[in-house]
Amino acid sequence: MGELFLVPSPIGNLKEVSPRVMEVLSAIDLVACEDTRNTSKLLALLGISKKCISCHVHNESFESEKIIELLLNGKKIAYLSDAGYPCISDPGSILVKKAIENNIKITPLSGPNAFLNALIASGIDTSHFLFYGFLDSKESKRENELDKLKEFPYTLIFYEAPHRINDTLKSMLKVLGNRKITIARELTKLHEEFIRSDLLTLINENRNFIGELVIVVEKYEKEDIKDLDEYVTKVKELVKSNYKLKEAVSIVSLLFSVNKNKLYKEAIEKIED
Ligand code: SAM
């Protein structure tokens, strides 16, 4: 019986290839990978020569069958995606499921992963978290996804492309309210950067983000209704100065990062009293 090794690849810094990864890549019969050109380049840089076969998101169902055949015939195969861990916002999961169905031994190796590096340096609560990966690129779908997460009481982690991040930050502010966030950029690379801020400030800065990015968002905190009193007073003052109730609630919720719907409900009750 063969063996399937799940091998993480560097997310930037080549020196993060461990001695164990080197040992396994040198010993196996064959490499299966997301992109044969990228992985061949990596292997060449590591001084390892192995045959690479392709198994990516568009052909994984079909190609994984061939890989399973090879494993059943006793081959030792490493699977690599283009960066970081296979199966994490990357192909590999179909192959793993089929290997399990066929009682093939699976050995995962440790190594680089973008979201864990981002989380541990974010300064945001690491005790419990949800890794979401990529949100949908369409605004309405993205906001629907965020709506399902908005009261999740643990840290949220997202992957995002640089050309979409400003739209995503706006959707986050709209749906989640103002929250602390950390953007981890170009992890393990020369220009690695951590931008620790909040959604409103970052949107107002209108930055031009480049490179690869991870977004870490602080968890949902239930607002204490007692604390809302002070904000209701501010709403009342604005209403006295001729703002409509909805406008006043919007201004106060934006200025003080208070949940708009809760403030509105509370303000309507208190103002009618
Ligand atoms: N499998 C990978 C992992 O384990 O982290 C993730 C692959 S996913 C297709 C690519 C996304 O991961 C990027 O769009 C970015 O959000 C994040 N990412 C990958 N490398 C990164 C890096 N060096 N710095 C920041 N984010 C990175």
Side-chain angles (χ1 to χ4, degrees):
M1 181 70 86
E3 184 169 351
L4 175 64
F5 293 90
L6 300 171
V7 179
S9 45
I11 57 169
N13 193 325
L14 208 61
K15 290 187 188 142
E16 294 197 339
V17 175
S18 71
R20 188 175 180 214
V21 165
M22 289 293 290
E23 191 181 273
V24 166
L25 288 177
S26 306
I28 40 106
D29 300 302
L30 192 71
V31 168
C33 55
E34 183 179 7
D35 185 323
T36 52
R37 280 165 310 177
N38 286 348
T39 303
S40 300
K41 263 190 226 156
L42 173 67
L43 292 174
L45 286 168
L46 300 175
I48 295 170
S49 166
K50 289 284 154 171
K51 185 180 175 208
C52 293
I53 57 171
S54 140
C55 180
H56 52 71
V57 74
H58 302 296
N59 70 8
E60 190 175 352
S61 283
F62 178 69
E63 288 300 325
S64 54
E65 292 291 343
K66 293 190 199 162
I67 298 169
I68 295 294
E69 272 309 307
L70 293 164
L71 288 161
L72 289 171
N73 283 324
K75 298 279 186 232
K76 294 200 183 308
I77 300 180
Y79 184 72
L80 285 83
S81 64
D82 279 350
Y85 277 88
C87 313
I88 299 297
S89 297
D90 264 345
S93 302
I94 298 176
L95 178 61
V96 168
K97 277 188 196 140
K98 287 187 183 166
I100 294 168
E101 282 162 18
N102 286 280
N103 293 318
I104 291 161
K105 184 174 179 202
I106 301 173
T107 303
L109 269 56
S110 308
N113 158 263
F115 83 75
L116 280 174
N117 276 32
L119 175 68
I120 60 172
S122 67
I124 294 176
D125 188 6
T126 56
S127 49
H128 305 285
F129 60 87
L130 175 109
F131 167 66
Y132 194 84
F134 289 98
L135 288 160
D136 202 280
S137 56
K138 286 202 195 76
E139 186 180 342
S140 59
K141 285 194 179 163
R142 180 168 67 227
E143 291 182 1
N144 257 328
E145 289 175 290
L146 287 168
D147 199 58
K148 289 187 189 133
L149 299 171
K150 74 177 175 199
E151 295 198 352
F152 189 77
Y154 306 122
T155 299
L156 303 171
I157 311 171
F158 302 90
Y159 283 163
E160 192 47 287
H163 63 281
R164 278 205 287 264
I165 189 160
N166 280 312
D167 287 340
T168 297
L169 295 180
K170 284 181 195 147
S171 293
M172 286 178 171
L173 180 66
K174 186 171 161 193
V175 181
L176 307 177
N178 196 21
R179 291 199 196 178
K180 266 206 254 168
I181 69 164
T182 292
I183 296 183
R185 213 176 65 75
E186 295 289 85
L187 289 160
T188 77
K189 302 183 196 174
L190 187 63
H191 298 292
E192 178 175 271
E193 183 185 20
F194 294 92
I195 304 159
R196 300 179 182 90
S197 185
D198 61 79
L199 285 163
L200 193 58
T201 308
L202 265 185
I203 290 167
N204 286 337
E205 285 172 2
N206 198 23
R207 287 178 185 232
N208 181 22
F209 291 99
I210 46 174
E212 300 201 88
L213 310 157
V214 182
I215 312 173
V216 185
V217 182
E218 85 173 331
K219 67 185 172 193
Y220 166 79
E221 299 262 19
K222 249 191 178 157
E223 274 149 24
D224 191 337
I225 295 295
K226 266 187 271 160
D227 292 344
L228 279 181
D229 282 353
E230 112 185 50
Y231 301 113
V232 171
T233 309
K234 292 185 196 302
V235 170
K236 276 185 185 163
E237 283 163 11
L238 287 174
V239 169
K240 266 192 204 150
S241 323
N242 284 335
Y243 279 92
K244 293 201 173 94
L245 179 61
K246 273 197 172 155
E247 287 170 346
V249 167
S250 286
I251 293 169
V252 174
S253 68
L254 214 62
L255 281 177
F256 299 99
S257 313
V258 184
N259 183 295
K260 198 158 115 185
N261 295 336
K262 285 188 189 154
L263 182 60
Y264 186 73
K265 255 175 85 181
E266 194 68 6
I268 256 192
E269 282 171 20
K270 294 270 161 66
I271 286 174
E272 281 173 354
D273 281 349

